[in-house]
Amino acid sequence: MGCCSSASSAAQSSKREWKPLEDRSCTDLPWLLLFILFCIGMGFICGFSVATGAAARLVSGYDSYGNICGQKNAKLEAIPNSGMDHTHRKYVFFLDPCNLDLINRKIKSVALCVTACPRQELKTLSEVQKFAEMNGSALCSYNLKPSEYTTSSKASVLCPKLPVPASAPIPFFHRCAPVNISCYAKFAEALITFVSDNSVLHRLISGVMTSKETILGLCLLSLVLSMILMVIIRYISRVLVWIVTILVILGSLGGTGVLWWLYAKQRKSPKETVIPEQLQIAEDNLRALLIYAISATVFTVILFLIMLVMRKRVALTIALFHVAGKVFIHLPLLVFQPFWTFFALVLFWVYWIMTLLFLGTTGSAVQNDQGFVEFRVSGPLQYVWWYHVVGLIWISEFILACQQMTVAGAVVTYYFTRDKRNLPFTPILASVNRLIRYHLGTVAKGSFIITLVKIPRMILMYMHSQLKGKENACARCVLKSCICCLWCLEKCLNYLNQNAYTATAINSTNFCTSAKDAFVILVENALRVAAINTVGDFMLFLGKVLIVCSTGLAGIMLLNYQQDYTVWVLPLIIVCLFAFLVAHCFLSIYEMVVDVLFLCFAIDTKYNDGSPGREFYMDKVLMEFVENSRKAMKEAGKGGVADARELKPMLKRR
């Protein structure tokens, strides 16, 4: 975090040219300090779990008596078989590894520390005894000697369930895991509801393994197609936007016409040929068709009126898409922005999951009902995982917000640099530098607001899942309504936050001021915003569909060489999901650039009019749009002030 510059400057005359990006000051510094303190708390949780011995229990594993495998243990009070020396027993072995508790997500089996995992299936107790004698690895309870495996009456209880599946140690975690995944068929069926036969599961997974090179190639294909599409959109944006607009109108008219045609056809059909039992059904269908036709007509009329009102504003969408293409040419590192964000998220998620696993093995040893040891945290520390969950949401949103602020800062720098040859060598890195020096507090505050909305929605979703099948219809409706409202609020706040970050990048104001200014400009230019967010978003959505369909078609052609058609169902699903994810990442950056350009355009047309000393910053394409709007206004007899009069100020002139 660098030094903060002073936020003061002399009052400017109203005739003086407004210059963005001049003053810089640290915004929302208290929120940055709060976020740093919160991250320190996250680090304390990780340190606490490691310091209490959880790291050793997680990595090395422990048996059902509290002994950590691979080391000498201290005796636990009132717990038998504790305090054993397991220096040479480095692996955890479960007597019944397939006995899973799906609710609590753990293995309901006695765990022992053994010298080696059985690499081959052991079908009888004699083979278990022979394995112990040859490898020195006793797979039965510590109280039973290997020589008693075949003679003791307690062997059926103290020895592993037969047959003992072949297993191998999990790398770095020293647990003996069955090699054959059919052992976990029940668990797989609980996670994958469409699998009812183990053979189907085996064939699906084998299809993924045999087609891994093809899957990798198709994923790279989706990446290349996404980059190509971003270039194509720039050069055919005008034609593409109008094609989408016309197709939407024609689709609505066609759908409405078909519904009225079906209604008229069924109404004229003779009712004498219909048997009495089906007469009521036919009347219900006719009534339903009438309702659908009327609804479609109303929708088509409203859509047509909206398109009629926004037809001139579609030209702004086309111009913004064209300029967005130029932005990516001047700022090529924007294309790779999703990769850095994804990499940062993966690193944080790995840290979060590892800390969560550490927390699961912290606490004091407690004897459960079966006489085995469990580690539980007592007192206030047992609620520390709530803090950890909030950290997952807040820090993830913080990373995503940093991406939005970085993109906004780079695009703002591009827009408000008159001579594009004078751009910084790397505008992205310059934007990152400004983010770290001045705006981390703003990002922390914006991401915290999203967190405040996400947490109640997640709690309600958890309550809904727990009460599924138990609550009445009214309670279910209320829960779903609250979840839906919170989801809508979250989406609105995400959009407002993104525009607030743009305002911060332009004016260097704090989050609340930037959010207020952004909200005012969006409301006062609602029709233009609607045009950009309907026509533009729909066009980008079609682009995502195009990439998924192209990748899926290529996948079908390549995987069609497989003889067993059921094998490549799962690989094709994986490829299509990855293609949609890649397309969404790239085109969402494109959409973000368009939104940033719109706010910059709004301010530019307000504070500049093209006269000497108040020249526009905008690109020639946008300047042509302004000139065309002025000509149209003059021809309509409204004179002098351009269409830009609709664009309201975001801030007061200083």
Side-chain angles (χ1 to χ4, degrees):
M1 189 172 62
C3 299
C4 299
S5 63
S6 61
S8 62
S9 64
Q12 297 177 342
S13 169
S14 60
K15 294 183 179 179
R16 184 180 175 184
E17 178 188 9
W18 170 74
K19 294 182 179 181
L21 310 176
E22 279 194 329
D23 298 334
R24 287 292 171 191
S25 59
C26 286
T27 55
D28 296 298
L29 187 59
W31 281 92
L32 175 58
L33 298 177
L34 178 62
F35 181 75
I36 292 174
L37 289 175
F38 185 87
C39 292
I40 292 174
M42 293 284 291
F44 172 77
I45 292 175
C46 182
F48 165 76
S49 60
V50 173
T52 53
R57 286 194 286 269
L58 175 65
V59 177
S60 301
Y62 60 94
D63 61 16
S64 296
Y65 309 102
N67 300 301
I68 299 176
C69 299
Q71 69 179 47
K72 189 174 182 180
N73 298 274
K75 178 68 177 178
L76 299 177
E77 186 178 354
I79 296 179
N81 292 329
S82 63
M84 300 183 68
D85 186 1
H86 288 324
T87 306
H88 301 291
R89 299 173 179 174
K90 299 182 179 180
Y91 303 102
V92 180
F93 176 77
F94 299 96
L95 298 188
D96 187 6
C98 301
N99 188 7
L100 301 174
D101 184 354
L102 298 179
I103 297 177
N104 297 316
R105 296 176 294 277
K106 64 182 181 180
I107 300 176
K108 297 193 318 183
S109 170
V110 176
L112 303 174
C113 293
V114 297
T115 306
C117 303
R119 296 303 183 104
Q120 296 181 347
E121 185 181 56
L122 306 177
K123 298 181 180 179
T124 63
L125 287 176
S126 299
E127 294 182 0
V128 175
Q129 183 181 39
K130 185 177 180 181
F131 177 81
E133 293 172 350
M134 293 181 61
N135 298 279
S137 184
L139 303 183
C140 295
S141 178
Y142 304 136
N143 300 327
L144 197 65
K145 297 179 181 179
S147 59
E148 300 175 346
Y149 285 2
T150 56
T151 58
S152 175
S153 59
K154 299 180 180 179
S156 59
V157 178
L158 300 179
C159 288
K161 182 179 179 180
L162 298 175
V164 180
S167 59
I170 301 176
F172 307 110
F173 288 98
H174 303 90
R175 269 80 167 175
C176 296
V179 177
N180 189 353
I181 60 171
S182 64
C183 176
Y184 298 119
K186 181 180 177 182
F187 183 64
E189 289 173 18
L191 294 179
I192 309 173
T193 55
F194 65 85
V195 176
S196 58
D197 184 7
N198 291 342
S199 62
V200 176
L201 178 63
H202 290 169
R203 294 168 71 184
L204 289 174
I205 295 178
S206 64
V208 174
M209 297 306 296
T210 56
S211 308
K212 55 183 179 294
E213 294 85 2
T214 304
I215 293 174
L216 181 60
L218 291 171
C219 292
L220 292 176
L221 174 64
S222 66
L223 187 65
V224 174
L225 289 176
S226 299
M227 293 182 176
I228 293 175
L229 182 62
M230 293 179 68
V231 177
I232 290 176
I233 288 176
R234 180 208 167 187
Y235 291 102
I236 64 170
S237 56
R238 183 182 300 274
V239 178
L240 195 58
V241 168
W242 283 116
I243 288 175
V244 169
T245 304
I246 293 171
L247 287 178
V248 169
I249 294 175
L250 291 179
S252 301
L253 290 173
T256 304
V258 169
L259 286 172
W260 281 114
W261 176 73
L262 290 174
Y263 171 74
K265 182 180 179 181
Q266 290 199 15
R267 188 179 181 184
K268 292 180 180 180
S269 61
K271 295 184 174 56
E272 293 79 8
T273 59
V274 181
I275 59 176
E277 290 79 6
Q278 295 183 352
L279 183 60
Q280 184 62 39
I281 298 176
E283 291 179 355
D284 291 341
N285 290 337
L286 186 64
R287 190 180 300 109
L289 272 175
L290 178 61
I291 295 173
Y292 294 154
I294 293 175
S295 302
T297 303
V298 173
F299 173 78
T300 302
V301 171
I302 295 174
L303 179 65
F304 184 76
L305 292 175
I306 292 175
M307 291 293 184
L308 192 64
V309 172
M310 293 195 309
R311 71 187 187 281
K312 294 182 179 179
R313 293 163 182 84
V314 171
L316 177 58
T317 305
I318 296 171
L320 289 173
F321 268 76
H322 188 79
V323 177
K326 292 185 177 181
V327 170
F328 281 96
I329 292 176
H330 286 88
L331 311 178
L333 289 181
L334 275 179
V335 177
F336 301 100
Q337 193 61 34
F339 293 106
W340 316 135
T341 304
F342 180 74
F343 181 70
L345 285 173
V346 167
L347 286 180
F348 170 68
W349 289 341
V350 169
Y351 158 81
W352 189 88
I353 292 173
M354 292 301 299
T355 304
L356 184 66
L357 294 175
F358 288 151
L359 285 174
T361 54
T362 55
S364 304
V366 178
Q367 197 169 18
N368 60 19
D369 299 336
Q370 289 78 30
F372 302 130
V373 171
E374 292 181 357
F375 291 92
R376 298 175 184 172
V377 178
S378 58
L381 290 176
Q382 62 183 318
Y383 303 107
V384 77
W385 68 275
W386 278 103
Y387 188 98
H388 196 56
V389 171
V390 173
L392 171 66
I393 302 173
W394 191 5
I395 297 178
S396 297
E397 290 295 329
F398 178 84
I399 294 172
L400 294 173
C402 285
Q403 172 185 267
Q404 294 174 349
M405 180 66 84
T406 300
V407 172
V411 176
V412 164
T413 301
Y414 168 84
Y415 187 97
F416 289 108
T417 301
R418 295 189 187 279
D419 188 357
K420 307 306 179 189
R421 292 173 296 183
N422 294 332
L423 283 170
F425 178 69
T426 52
I428 290 289
L429 296 181
S431 179
V432 171
N433 178 55
R434 289 196 301 271
L435 166 65
I436 295 174
R437 293 182 64 187
Y438 305 115
H439 303 314
L440 283 179
T442 299
V443 170
K445 188 174 183 178
S447 57
F448 181 75
I449 292 174
I450 300 298
T451 304
L452 288 180
V453 179
K454 274 184 174 290
I455 292 176
R457 184 167 67 88
M458 294 177 65
I459 293 174
L460 290 177
M461 291 175 65
Y462 176 76
M463 291 172 57
H464 182 264
S465 64
Q466 293 297 311
L467 297 175
K468 196 170 185 179
K470 300 178 183 179
E471 78 280 17
N472 55 37
C474 182
R476 183 168 59 251
C477 181
V478 170
L479 273 176
K480 289 185 177 180
S481 299
C482 293
I483 292 171
C484 181
C485 291
L486 288 173
W487 181 84
C488 293
L489 178 61
E490 180 186 335
K491 294 301 178 184
C492 293
L493 287 175
N494 269 321
Y495 183 70
L496 181 61
N497 278 11
Q498 179 181 324
N499 287 279
Y501 298 145
T502 303
T504 299
I506 296 172
N507 305 319
S508 194
T509 51
N510 60 39
F511 178 82
C512 291
T513 303
S514 300
K516 181 192 68 176
D517 294 335
F519 180 76
V520 170
I521 196 74
L522 292 174
V523 170
E524 293 178 341
N525 298 275
L527 291 177
R528 294 185 184 276
V529 174
I532 294 170
N533 286 294
T534 52
V535 179
D537 289 359
F538 186 63
M539 188 176 71
L540 293 178
F541 172 75
L542 290 181
K544 298 174 188 178
V545 173
L546 177 64
I547 291 174
V548 172
C549 292
S550 302
T551 308
L553 180 61
I556 291 174
M557 295 176 64
L558 291 175
L559 295 171
N560 192 38
Y561 291 102
Q562 298 282 348
Q563 296 297 321
D564 193 347
Y565 288 91
T566 61
V567 167
W568 51 262
V569 172
L570 187 58
L572 190 62
I573 292 174
I574 293 174
V575 167
C576 289
L577 289 176
F578 183 84
F580 181 81
L581 178 64
V582 170
H584 175 74
C585 289
F586 278 92
L587 295 181
S588 63
I589 292 291
Y590 202 99
E591 179 184 358
M592 196 182 305
V593 170
V594 171
D595 291 336
V596 174
L597 286 173
F598 172 74
L599 282 183
C600 295
F601 172 77
I603 299 177
D604 194 12
T605 52
K606 176 60 186 179
Y607 287 101
N608 299 302
D609 56 9
S611 61
R614 296 182 63 183
E615 295 85 358
F616 288 122
Y617 288 93
M618 67 182 67
D619 187 88
K620 291 182 179 180
V621 177
L622 290 172
M623 204 174 297
E624 290 175 2
F625 167 78
V626 173
E627 291 300 324
N628 292 335
S629 299
R630 287 177 174 175
K631 291 178 182 179
M633 295 289 284
K634 289 180 180 179
E635 291 174 1
K638 296 184 179 180
V641 183
D643 179 58
R645 178 177 281 175
E646 293 183 4
L647 296 167
K648 305 297 181 182
M650 282 188 61
L651 48 81
K652 297 179 180 179
R653 186 174 298 280
R654 295 174 291 179

